[in-house]
Amino acid sequence: MAGNDTNRAKDLENAFKDNQTNAILCVRGGYGALRIIDKIDYNIIKNNPKIFCGYSDITVLSTVILKKTGLITFSSPMPKGDFQPEEINEYTERQFFKTLTNDKITVSAQNLKTYKSGNAKGIIIGGNLASVASLCGTDFIPDDKFIFFAEDLNEPVYKIDKYFRQLLNIKKFKENISAIILGDFLDSEPKEQLDELFFELAKELNIPIYGGFKITHAKQKDTIPIGGFATLCDGILNIEY
């Protein structure tokens, strides 16, 4: 939240307008992105498309940018916590550059957990669950079918349930979701209730739900193109973008 909200929105616009800038890599997450989404001129972003990267709180910006402009952005590692010299994870770095320099990727789970098997396809959206839920009340849901990916940190299970309920109480979200991909829910307790929640969701929604993906606040993480077209088959996600 450093600085004036209007100035921060202008900084983002200026980064997109700057012809010397090829990519925008957000430094860190935390909180504050929600405060500027109504202050951004999205036509500037639409007319000056660039690589835009970040995760956690940055999920808010990526989700709204996709809806307002159609620009594919990236749920990716950031300098604070991921790209400091003493902290760089080789897998994370490799996947980051691989995703940014190709137009299709395959994403698979580290330890696949099946809550309901099946296949699905659609636009891939999501990221930090609490951040997406904070957008309830705004226009952020794709008009077409989508696969939703989610992770979170330091949230008790009842809050994870609450975030999913907030989203699923939106008719359009519930109608358009075709599958759920789960990353880590670090330090979420109790673990057995977390599994129960996801099995319950799978039964209620009758859609494929898989867990165990390297979508996380932890050091080893995949980079996901938000807005790419995804095909889910036997727990493996193929994305074109």
Side-chain angles (χ1 to χ4, degrees):
M1 291 176 62
N4 176 278
D5 289 336
T6 301
N7 289 344
R8 291 194 297 129
K10 289 296 181 185
D11 286 342
L12 181 61
E13 293 171 3
N14 289 336
F16 273 97
K17 286 193 292 186
D18 185 357
N19 291 330
Q20 300 301 310
T21 299
N22 294 320
I24 301 165
L25 179 57
C26 296
V27 174
R28 60 161 295 164
Y31 170 72
L34 192 65
R35 296 174 62 98
I36 68 171
I37 59 172
D38 62 339
K39 298 172 175 63
I40 297 168
D41 183 344
Y42 292 95
N43 284 325
I44 291 175
I45 297 176
K46 188 173 184 177
N47 294 330
N48 300 274
K50 287 181 172 64
I51 293 171
F52 179 81
C53 302
Y55 74 105
S56 195
D57 185 49
I58 308 305
T59 299
V60 169
L61 294 174
S62 290
T63 304
V64 177
I65 286 172
L66 175 65
K67 180 66 178 182
K68 299 281 191 182
T69 73
L71 178 68
I72 292 173
T73 64
F74 297 89
S75 175
S76 83
M78 298 183 289
K80 175 65 174 176
D82 294 305
F83 284 151
Q84 292 171 305
E86 69 278 8
E87 297 177 335
I88 295 175
N89 179 275
E90 289 184 7
Y91 176 90
T92 299
E93 182 181 19
R94 182 173 66 251
Q95 293 303 106
F96 174 74
F97 287 106
K98 181 180 178 181
T99 303
L100 264 59
T101 56
N102 285 281
D103 59 7
K104 61 179 67 174
I105 58 166
T106 296
V107 182
S108 57
Q110 192 167 28
N111 296 292
L112 186 66
K113 175 83 176 192
T114 303
Y115 296 96
K116 188 180 189 317
S117 61
N119 302 329
K121 59 184 178 179
I123 296 168
I124 184 85
I125 68 164
N128 179 253
L129 179 61
S131 296
V132 177
S134 74
L135 289 169
C136 288
T138 70
D139 181 17
F140 72 97
I141 302 168
D143 296 324
D144 301 313
K145 289 289 186 180
F146 61 86
I147 293 174
F148 184 68
F149 71 98
E151 61 83 33
D152 223 314
L153 173 71
N154 294 330
E155 297 284 4
V157 174
Y158 83 89
K159 282 195 175 181
I160 295 169
D161 178 64
K162 180 173 73 173
Y163 298 143
F164 271 111
R165 286 297 138 197
Q166 284 180 277
L167 295 168
L168 292 169
N169 280 335
I170 304 172
K171 182 180 179 182
K172 186 176 181 180
F173 190 96
K174 193 169 185 177
E175 287 179 346
N176 286 2
I177 189 169
S178 62
I180 298 175
I181 297 297
L182 300 167
D184 288 333
F185 288 81
L186 299 173
D187 300 323
S188 295
E189 299 291 344
K191 292 295 184 186
E192 62 274 11
Q193 287 186 10
L194 193 60
D195 262 354
E196 289 174 9
L197 168 60
F198 295 143
F199 278 117
E200 181 185 79
L201 276 176
K203 184 177 181 180
E204 174 189 348
L205 299 176
N206 194 30
I207 61 174
I209 299 181
Y210 291 97
F213 286 78
K214 292 185 283 288
I215 302 166
T216 178
H217 272 69
K219 297 296 183 187
Q220 189 177 97
K221 56 174 63 73
D222 280 312
T223 294
I224 309 294
I226 297 174
F229 187 81
T231 302
L232 176 66
C233 183
D234 297 327
I236 297 175
L237 198 60
N238 292 293
I239 309 173
E240 298 182 3
Y241 49 97

